[in-house]
Structure formats: C-alpha cells, structure tokens
Amino acid sequence: MKKFARFARGIDTLTVAEKVYSIAGFLAIVTTFLLVMSIQTVRLQTTYRHMHASSAEAAINVGRINALIYAIVMESRGIYMSADRVAMKPFADGLMRRNRELAEAVKGLERTVDYDDAEQVSSFRQRIAQFIDFRQELVRRGLEISPAAAREWGDNDANRTLRARLNGDLESLERIYGQRAREADELANSNRYAAAYLFALGLASLVLAGLNVVVMRRSVVGALAEITLATDRIADGDVKSKVPHLGRNDEIGRLARAVQHFRDAVARIFELEELELGTAQARDAAMTERDKFNDKYQAKKWQLSAAINSMPQGLIMLDGKANVVAMNGNYRQIYNLPETIQSGATLGEILQHRVKSGLFSGDIATYLAAVLDRIARREPAAYEITLNDGRTIRIHERPMDGGGWVSVQEDVTEQRQRQRILERMERFLATIIENVTEGIIAKDARNQRYVFVNRAAEQMIGMSRGEIIGKTARELFSPEAAELIERRDQQLLAQKQQLEPIIDTIDNPTRGRRVISTRRVQVGGAGEESHMFVTMIEDLTETTGAVAA
C-alpha cells in the first residue's frame, strides 16, 4: 500500500498534457503490435487456404486417376475374354475413352503440384504415358489382328511391373498430400492463437482509448466545470464557497489557486462595501482601500486569464445560448481568430470567420443547431475533425453546471501524420524483405529460437515458416549443422557484426548438403528484449557445383 501511495503521488505531479501524451504513446504502441499481429494472421490464413485448396484438388485427381486405371484394366479384361472382334469392339471403344480421360486427369494433377512434388509427378506422368501407350497397342492388336494377339500382348512381365510401379506412385502421392493436410491443420492452429492475441491487443487498445477519455473527463473537462461553478458562486456573492482542486500541481491546480485569490479579493471588496455605511471619512478610506483591492482583483483576473491561456490545448466556454464566455490563445491560434472576437461574441460569429478564412465549409445554421442540441441534452462528446487546410483537431466537450458548455480542442495533425508515415514505412519494409532474393533469418539472441524468415529463406531451407519459427537450430537441423550454427552465433557475439561473407557447408534436412554464404549482424544488445541475430544467406551450391564441374 505504501508503494502504491508513492506511485499515486508521483502521477499527481504530472501535468495534464503529460498524462494525455503518455496514454496516447501507450495507445500507439498497442496499435503497432495490433498491426503486426494482423499481418501475421493474414499471412497464416493465406497459406492455410492455399495448402488446403491445392491438397484437396490433388487428392481428388489422385483418386480419379486410380479409378480410371482400374476401369481401363477392367476394359482390358473384356478384350481378353472376347471371342471375336465384334464382341471386343465395345470394350476397345471404352478403353480408348478411358485412356483419354486418364491423360486429362494427369494434366489436372500437374497443374496442382508444388515445386517439391515436380520430380515425383514427372516420373508418375511418364509411367502413365507408358500405360496408355501399352493399352492403345493392346486395342490395335485386338482389332487389327485378333483377340488372341491382344491377350498375348497383355500377358507379360513388363505390364505387371508397370502396374506395380503405378500403384507405388499412387501410394506415395497419397502420403505427400496427407502430410500437406497435416501441415494445413498446424497452420490453422497457429492462426487460432494469432486471432486470440489479436483480440487481446484490440481489447487493450479499447481500454487505453477509454482511459484517455476518462483522464480528459476527470483531469480537464470535469475539473474545469467544477472550477467554473465555483467562480459563478463567487460572482453571485458566495465568498465562503470552497474552491476545488487546490491541491493539484498541474495547470488545473494553478487555475484553482487563481480562483481562490479572486474569491479572497471579492470577499475583501464586500467587507469594504460594508464599511462605506460608516462616516464619510471611513467611507473615503474604504473607497481608497476598495480601489486598491479592485486593482488586485484585476490582477487576479489577469492571473485567471493567464492560467487558461497557459493550457496546451485550445479552450472555449459557451453559455446555454452558444455565446462565448471565455476562450484562450491556443483556441484563437487553431482557428486564426482576430482580436475583434472576444468574450461575449457568439459561436455563429466564430463560424462566419472560419468560413471567410476557408476553415469551415459546412452549413452554419445546421452546425449551431447541433451544438445547441448537445448543450440542451448535456451529453459529453469526444470526436475529431479535419479542417480544410488539412489539420486534424481532437475535441472533447462537456456540459457545465448552470447550463454552460466547455470544449477542449487540440491540434493532433503532426501526431496523425507520424502515425501514417510509420504505417507506410512498415508496409514498405515488409514488401522489400519478402521480395529480395537473399534469404533473411532473424533469431532471438536470448533463447536461440527463430522469430522470422522471408520467402527466399523458406525456399533455401526447404521448410515453411510454420515449421521454422519458434524452434532452435537443434530442433531443425542435424547435430553437426546445429553445432556449426551455434558456433557462428558465438562468433557474432564477440565480433558484433560479420559483414564479410562466411562460406560454410551444411547438411539441410530436406535439400541435402548445401554450400552457403552468410553475413550476420546484431540488433540490440545483451539484456534487451529486442536483442536479435539477423543472418543474410546466399545458396552457392549450384554455383560451386558448376565451377567444380
């Protein structure tokens, strides 16, 4: 409880602007994490849909091919058992039609295969072509020579060997697409967790936004309304009323102390007015004293005005009819108001000046009606507007006791521009990293687990990102390769950077022995959460093999 009390006292020493900017900073950080998680979720969804669609289409084609092979074999048996050419003719026509359907089915399978399956499908296609040629020759011999010649052609070891190999190819393809379906399930599970994280970050963003509104309402708008009410009571003659928020150390506290000085001055004026009922000498003395206190009153009034003008935001107070009670310099600066518009002017006059200066293009009567409606309903509001010159203004409105209205306005144009620039830069960098030909891998230096790989690195390693991210080198590579990677990491810790290429030979679990050229850099330092190893990889296997040849 003591620690919490010290922390609360520390917050009370912050200014209103510092509180608002701190919450806005935390909101920007949460929004950045929300953007990163959104990109991750979209990436996983795209990969999952592609894998699921390609696996389903390939599995359908494999099943169709298997069924067509069986149908062709059945038609061949009809040819074998036919007594003459007339009886054999329907089976021969059916076999030729199934041959054409089988060729089309193989073409459909080739359209769905990935780079990793190309060699397997190429061998399968060649055997299918042999199978089709063999059956066509079977039909030709049966029709042109005799059914006996067809049986003699079909009853041989080459035919049986080809069938056995085709069965093996079909079983292999079924295993491949079964594995791909399991990988799609893993991606779906990963996306489920990403969606949960995305929901949590969105909830945190809403909480911070709500906290910002609460801080503005309690620290600025509500406090100003209470101080305004106290000022009205003092102006009505209640010089014993208590001024709230005197203990605060920010702009509101200074404003409250200025109002208290004003109250004391008014109380003293009232005392002097009572002394005027005495003798003329006493009245003259009281008038002299009153003049002195009137000077002090004006000084305190200027102090009150200075306190309002010291606020970093623009401030305007309206009465129940949208007449201006007070405004500070920052409000004038936001809308370029001339000195002729002072307290006592109307909101309509301010809008007319904004129309002339090009800062308002709406209908004045409609806008005034909306403001008067909000004042009548006494409902707080918080929103942002964009002026015709491109500036963005954040507005917080709150009703005041007595029927008035206070509006705190802040120019957040630069903050919004920085936010948009940051978003564009993040998209630009992500596009560059994903499309360079050099493999880029990032690893958390604290636990040696991979946290990022680009598309080129996926192709070099022969694994998907879902298989790589979150794992260590010992979980992905052979013990010898993992030991080499860990040794290079230790060298990087000692050297800070390795911009000169280092050429190593490493055993890739999916692509075999590869010759790679790597450059490494460190991001951050030991003990920091952002401490990472970034490795840029170039596969020299093909180049090295060509030179050796």
Side-chain angles (χ1 to χ4, degrees), residues 114-156:
D114 291 338
Y115 175 79
D116 295 335
D117 308 334
E119 183 177 355
Q120 176 74 22
V121 174
S122 177
S123 299
F124 179 65
R125 178 176 55 79
Q126 292 176 2
R127 293 190 181 97
I128 288 293
Q130 295 174 6
F131 179 82
I132 291 174
D133 292 340
F134 178 87
R135 300 298 167 172
Q136 288 176 342
E137 178 63 18
L138 177 69
V139 173
R140 188 192 70 80
R141 286 172 177 262
L143 293 176
E144 295 180 3
I145 303 175
S146 67
R151 283 194 297 273
E152 181 181 359
W153 173 255
D155 187 13
N156 60 75

Side-chain angles (χ1 to χ4, degrees), residues 526-547:
E528 298 181 8
E529 291 186 3
S530 61
H531 188 201
M532 291 192 297
F533 295 156
V534 179
T535 305
M536 290 146 281
I537 306 174
E538 183 178 1
D539 193 334
L540 303 179
T541 306
E542 304 300 332
T543 305
T544 304
V547 172

Side-chain angles (χ1 to χ4, degrees), residues 66-342:
N66 192 22
L68 287 171
I69 290 174
Y70 182 80
I72 290 171
V73 171
M74 292 297 103
E75 298 289 355
S76 298
R77 291 180 179 177
I79 292 174
Y80 296 157
M81 291 185 292
S82 298
D84 52 34
R85 295 179 185 177
V86 175
M88 185 185 67
K89 187 64 169 62
F91 297 107
D93 292 341
L95 189 148
M96 296 301 292
R97 185 175 64 258
R98 298 299 184 184
N99 268 356
R100 290 191 296 271
E101 292 176 357
L102 178 59
E104 291 298 323
V106 172
K107 290 181 181 178
L109 176 63
E110 289 178 332
R111 288 193 294 269
T112 63
V113 298
D114 291 338
Y115 175 79
D116 295 335
D117 308 334
E119 183 177 355
Q120 176 74 22
V121 174
S122 177
S123 299
F124 179 65
R125 178 176 55 79
Q126 292 176 2
R127 293 190 181 97
I128 288 293
Q130 295 174 6
F131 179 82
I132 291 174
D133 292 340
F134 178 87
R135 300 298 167 172
Q136 288 176 342
E137 178 63 18
L138 177 69
V139 173
R140 188 192 70 80
R141 286 172 177 262
L143 293 176
E144 295 180 3
I145 303 175
S146 67
R151 283 194 297 273
E152 181 181 359
W153 173 255
D155 187 13
N156 60 75
D157 293 335
N159 179 26
R160 286 187 286 271
T161 301
L162 179 61
R163 282 291 313 281
R165 290 179 178 176
L166 282 176
N167 291 336
D169 288 339
L170 291 171
E171 291 175 358
S172 177
L173 288 173
E174 288 177 353
R175 287 194 297 272
I176 289 173
Y177 296 117
Q179 175 64 26
R180 194 158 297 158
R182 288 190 291 272
E183 293 174 359
D185 291 338
E186 292 177 359
L187 283 174
N189 290 333
S190 300
N191 191 50
R192 179 189 62 190
Y193 294 122
Y197 299 151
L198 190 63
F199 173 78
L201 287 173
L203 184 61
S205 179
L206 289 176
V207 170
L208 286 174
L211 181 60
N212 193 26
V213 173
V214 171
V215 169
M216 287 297 300
R217 182 173 180 178
R218 296 186 61 182
S219 297
V220 180
V221 179
L224 286 175
E226 294 174 0
I227 293 175
T228 301
L229 181 60
T231 305
D232 291 340
R233 290 198 298 268
I234 293 170
D236 292 338
D238 184 9
V239 295
K240 295 183 179 180
S241 63
K242 183 179 180 182
V243 179
H245 305 294
L246 292 173
R248 291 178 58 161
N249 298 317
D250 53 12
E251 298 92 335
I252 301 299
R254 292 195 294 271
L255 178 62
R257 288 188 285 274
V259 172
Q260 186 180 41
H261 294 321
F262 168 69
R263 184 200 64 183
D264 295 339
V266 172
R268 185 59 178 163
I269 290 173
F270 286 167
E271 292 176 3
L272 291 175
E273 288 177 349
E274 292 178 359
L275 292 176
E276 286 182 347
L277 300 176
T279 61
Q281 183 179 3
R283 184 170 60 251
D284 292 340
M287 291 178 64
T288 302
E289 188 70 15
R290 185 181 61 186
D291 291 339
K292 293 180 181 180
F293 277 97
N294 278 334
D295 293 339
K296 291 183 179 180
Y297 168 75
Q298 292 297 329
K300 298 304 178 184
K301 181 179 178 180
W302 283 110
Q303 289 179 4
L304 176 61
S305 177
I308 294 176
N309 285 319
S310 68
M311 293 182 59
Q313 299 86 11
L315 173 71
I316 184 171
M317 295 182 183
L318 305 175
D319 62 14
K321 297 181 179 180
N323 297 316
V324 179
V325 177
M327 73 174 70
N328 66 359
N330 284 333
Y331 183 85
R332 291 178 177 278
Q333 184 178 2
I334 290 174
Y335 298 109
N336 299 325
L337 300 180
E339 293 297 329
T340 55
I341 298 180
Q342 299 286 342

